[in-house]
Amino acid sequence: MIDIKRVTFSRGANVILDDFSAQILNGEAVLLSGSNGAGKSTLIQLIGGFLTPDSGSIEIIGNDISQLKAKDQAQLRSIAPQRRIFDLAFTVVQTLNFVPKKRRSLRTHQIIEELGLVDLLDKKVTELSIGQQQRVSLALALIQEADFYLLDEPFAGQDAASQVRTINLINEIKNEKGVLVVSHNSDNTHSWFDREIVLN
Amino acid sequence: MKREIGIYIGGVILLALLFLLSLRIGVLHLQTPLFDILFKNNHGVDASTVWDIRLPRALGAIIFGAGLGFAGVIAQGIFRNPLAEPTLIGLSSGAVLGTIAVISSGAAVYGSRTNVYVAVLFAASTALMVQWLAPNKGFGFLLTGIAVSSILTSLAGLVITSSPKPSIQSLSFWNFGSLSLLNSETIRASAPVLEVGIITAFFVARKLDIYSLGDASSHYLGVNPKRIRFWAIIALAFLIGASVSAIGSIAFIGLLIPHIVRALIGPAHRRLLSISGLIGAIVLLAADLVARTAFEPHEIPLGLITSLIGAPALIILIRRSRAQWVAHD
Ligand SMILES: Nc1ncnc2c1ncn2[C@@H]1O[C@H](COP(=O)(O)OP(=O)(O)OP(=O)(O)O)[C@@H](O)[C@H]1O
Ligand SMILES: [Mg+2]
């Protein structure tokens, strides 16, 4: 379980989360929605341990993440941020290899296929389209073995077919893991989630 | 991969040839064959020229040239900026000021251990100061580095002007760099420091690949970006402190070589580091050979040559590359 306990977080005078609590359980897929600037990405960054709450705490399977090193946090959860920097001309394979072998999911091959990356493996990430980069970014998160997957707008920039394939993938992962997905695209995908958390 | 092996083999052969050539030629024309000097007992003027003057100088060119190549890779990686280079972001000026201060105060002489350590300390403090003052890691960061750098250079000039010691050399000696002071003591004092820098650089390099995806991505994949930055600055301070205290500040090698190597073999930092070190050694050795033989018996400052070739090369690269000049995050 991811247990978000009474978290408050502000940037300057801008209070983004105010005494916010929520839980994400194993085996469920939760939709995190809300308007632009509502604080969805901020919440993901807090759970990911990249930001630290002003007050309150976040636990993953009983571990207070503020007490864990980046390396140990990475065992518990895997995150696809809303944006990654693809500035250097690594190939797609090289990029996916950023996840060390011993931390890679057994499903790695399937994920690469489902996300349509097989033909792109030797291409440079700097020379991919935005939607293709988005799929590499998503793959990078999904091939990392973890208990929880937090995906910030995984459908953004993706065509209808890859959206469906992404959903199927998440559906399978959800059988054993917990999944939190940020999405605006609630019309197409809404019905498919177990639960929705709305930020405002 | 094939290309890399080719570069390694070709590079090592070229380096060996340049090394022998550096021992062979110079103002004094050797009467004894080089082979005899190196492998047979020999005590004449020729032998002492080769063993005491040319050999330390050639070795210095190799190790400091490699150090500059390494430093360029680490600086560009850590600041996610293809324009970052130790001379541009102020580390070298810090080390120059430290060296000049320590020599002019009489606390230590050129090439001593104290000189090297103080240069490392000044380089590290400068890096931290630039990081603290800079508004972001992109263009503002570079401009801050350039500003801090010129303050430190002015201070160094003031110290030199008011110093009674003639042994301190001129400001342009330190700013353009030269291998003319190198002797075996200097090398003995700075080589261990350089080695610490190199080991740290290789340790950091592996993580720079992941780090390139941005601070957040890096953290999510288990690599703490703040820790990487800390170790990278340590590596840079040791590499730059060691080389500046011995040969002054030499521009463009650290900037250009990683660029060119990246275009040849791709961005993976470990390989980038090894090959940039090799090429840095070759380039500095070749440049020094030109510096001391082109206008015999006068020696031109080494940095003049690297700048005369490096600056136009940079312009060509800027015009050709589609690199993104403003780093994010
Ligand atoms: N780096 C930052 N510095 C200052 N304020 C920020 C920063 N990042 C986000 N904010 C502010 O925090 C608030 C929440 O931002 P966040 O990115 O979490 O929104 P979001 O719900 O993910 O929006 P979107 O749907 O556009 O992705 C916004 O008001 C934004 O202005
Ligand atoms: Mg967002």
Side-chain angles (χ1 to χ4, degrees):
Chain A
M1 178 172 76
I2 298 181
D3 195 359
I4 304 161
K5 295 184 191 162
R6 310 199 58 179
V7 164
T8 297
F9 182 81
S10 352
R11 288 185 187 270
N14 181 5
V15 182
I16 300 167
L17 292 175
D18 187 13
D19 201 15
F20 177 82
S21 297
Q23 286 161 358
I24 295 129
L25 304 176
N26 229 308
E28 65 173 353
V30 179
L31 174 67
L32 178 59
S33 64
S35 49
N36 290 138
K40 305 179 296 295
S41 296
T42 306
L43 182 60
I44 300 277
Q45 288 169 333
L46 284 161
I47 300 172
F50 183 62
L51 298 175
T52 314
D54 301 334
S55 67
S57 69
I58 298 172
E59 287 179 7
I60 304 182
I61 322 181
N63 301 283
D64 183 341
I65 53 158
S66 65
Q67 307 296 319
L68 294 181
K69 288 187 196 152
K71 213 166 127 191
D72 299 326
Q73 292 179 22
Q75 315 260 9
L76 296 173
R77 51 80 191 132
S78 179
I79 297 177
Q82 195 166 2
R83 255 194 332 171
R84 291 196 211 258
I85 300 175
F86 287 116
D87 259 3
L88 294 180
F90 288 108
T91 62
V92 172
V93 177
Q94 283 179 312
T95 306
L96 297 178
N97 280 336
F98 288 172
V99 178
K101 275 218 177 62
K102 58 178 193 295
R103 292 219 314 261
R104 239 176 269 167
S105 155
L106 294 173
R107 246 191 270 276
T108 299
H109 270 294
Q110 185 201 348
I111 292 165
I112 292 171
E113 265 173 39
E114 291 280 328
L115 291 176
L117 296 177
V118 175
D119 293 334
L120 302 179
L121 285 176
D122 291 322
K123 285 242 164 83
K124 293 173 180 166
V125 284
T126 43
E127 292 170 3
L128 299 181
S129 75
I130 303 283
Q132 290 170 329
Q133 285 186 344
Q134 184 74 1
R135 281 189 269 149
V136 173
S137 171
L138 184 60
L140 195 52
L142 293 182
I143 65 175
Q144 186 182 324
E145 184 62 32
D147 296 289
F148 289 90
Y149 290 84
L150 313 169
L151 314 173
D152 199 345
E153 309 229 7
F155 307 117
Q158 293 211 38
D159 55 46
S162 28
Q163 284 190 16
V164 171
R165 275 181 293 166
T166 304
I167 288 187
N168 290 339
L169 254 181
I170 298 175
N171 224 347
E172 268 186 52
I173 290 173
K174 175 194 101 162
N175 288 332
E176 312 142 28
K177 320 278 184 179
V179 183
L180 179 69
V181 174
V182 176
S183 178
H184 283 296
N185 193 9
S186 28
D187 293 343
N188 295 342
T189 54
H190 200 125
S191 59
W192 168 83
F193 286 94
D194 299 316
R195 196 154 63 82
E196 180 176 10
I197 298 174
V198 184
L199 279 181
N200 43 34
Chain B
M1 201 60 200
K2 244 192 193 142
R3 181 182 258 179
E4 265 171 72
I5 295 171
I7 294 177
Y8 272 120
I9 295 174
V12 170
I13 293 173
L14 187 58
L15 188 64
L17 288 178
L18 279 169
F19 181 66
L20 291 176
L21 201 61
S22 302
L23 299 183
R24 182 80 190 77
I25 62 175
V27 177
L28 182 117
H29 293 263
L30 299 181
Q31 307 299 320
T32 330
L34 185 61
F35 182 87
D36 291 355
I37 298 176
L38 291 178
F39 298 105
K40 292 182 186 162
N41 256 347
N42 234 299
H43 295 288
V45 183
D46 281 358
S48 66
T49 303
V50 170
W51 284 108
D52 303 336
I53 300 173
R54 290 187 192 163
L55 183 69
R57 191 160 172 165
L59 284 180
I62 291 175
I63 64 173
F64 296 124
L68 292 173
F70 293 141
V73 172
I74 299 295
Q76 291 174 9
I78 211 66
F79 299 120
R80 298 193 190 96
N81 192 323
L83 280 182
E85 191 221 20
T87 50
L88 276 180
I89 57 183
L91 268 98
S92 301
S93 327
V96 166
L97 179 61
T99 300
I100 287 175
V102 94
I103 298 177
S104 71
S105 69
V109 293
Y110 161 81
S112 60
R113 288 227 155 76
T114 314
N115 178 355
V116 181
Y117 296 151
V118 171
V120 168
L121 209 65
F122 270 64
S125 326
T126 310
L128 292 176
M129 188 161 67
V130 171
Q131 252 205 333
W132 178 68
L133 287 172
N136 57 47
K137 290 177 201 121
F139 214 57
F141 179 84
L142 271 179
L143 291 178
T144 309
I146 292 170
V148 168
S149 188
S150 68
I151 295 172
L152 298 181
T153 304
S154 310
L155 286 178
L158 282 179
V159 177
I160 287 187
T161 318
S162 56
S163 166
K165 288 196 171 24
S167 63
I168 189 142
Q169 308 290 334
S170 65
L171 185 60
S172 84
F173 174 90
W174 293 107
N175 278 349
F176 272 119
S178 165
L179 272 65
S180 61
L181 295 185
L182 272 187
N183 54 44
S184 41
E185 275 91 87
T186 319
I187 298 212
R188 260 195 292 270
S190 47
V193 175
L194 199 66
E195 206 176 305
V196 175
I198 294 172
I199 293 169
T200 316
F202 272 93
F203 158 76
V204 168
R206 240 183 28 179
K207 318 239 163 149
L208 282 179
D209 291 349
I210 289 178
Y211 176 90
S212 76
L213 295 175
D215 274 11
S217 274
S218 170
H219 177 95
Y220 297 151
L221 287 164
V223 171
N224 182 343
K226 290 198 187 103
R227 247 179 87 188
I228 295 302
R229 275 195 285 272
F230 172 79
W231 287 111
I233 284 181
I234 298 284
L236 284 176
F238 275 75
L239 291 170
I240 291 307
S243 91
V244 164
S245 64
I247 64 169
S249 141
I250 291 177
F252 291 108
I253 289 193
L255 176 59
L256 284 172
I257 288 176
H259 262 292
I260 296 167
V261 177
R262 205 179 283 119
L264 290 174
I265 64 149
H269 282 90
R270 266 239 172 127
R271 295 187 236 154
L272 193 57
L273 201 65
S274 332
I275 296 188
S276 297
L278 178 60
I279 311 258
I282 292 172
V283 168
L284 200 62
L285 192 57
D288 188 53
L289 200 60
V290 174
R292 61 196 182 80
T293 58
F295 291 95
E296 248 175 40
H298 299 289
E299 182 170 335
I300 10 178
L302 174 64
L304 268 184
I305 297 175
T306 59
S307 297
L308 267 177
I309 299 170
L314 176 64
I315 294 172
I316 294 169
L317 273 183
I318 293 174
R319 291 180 58 93
R320 279 185 34 180
S321 84
R322 290 176 296 133
Q324 304 182 10
W325 299 114
V326 183
H328 334 242
D329 215 76

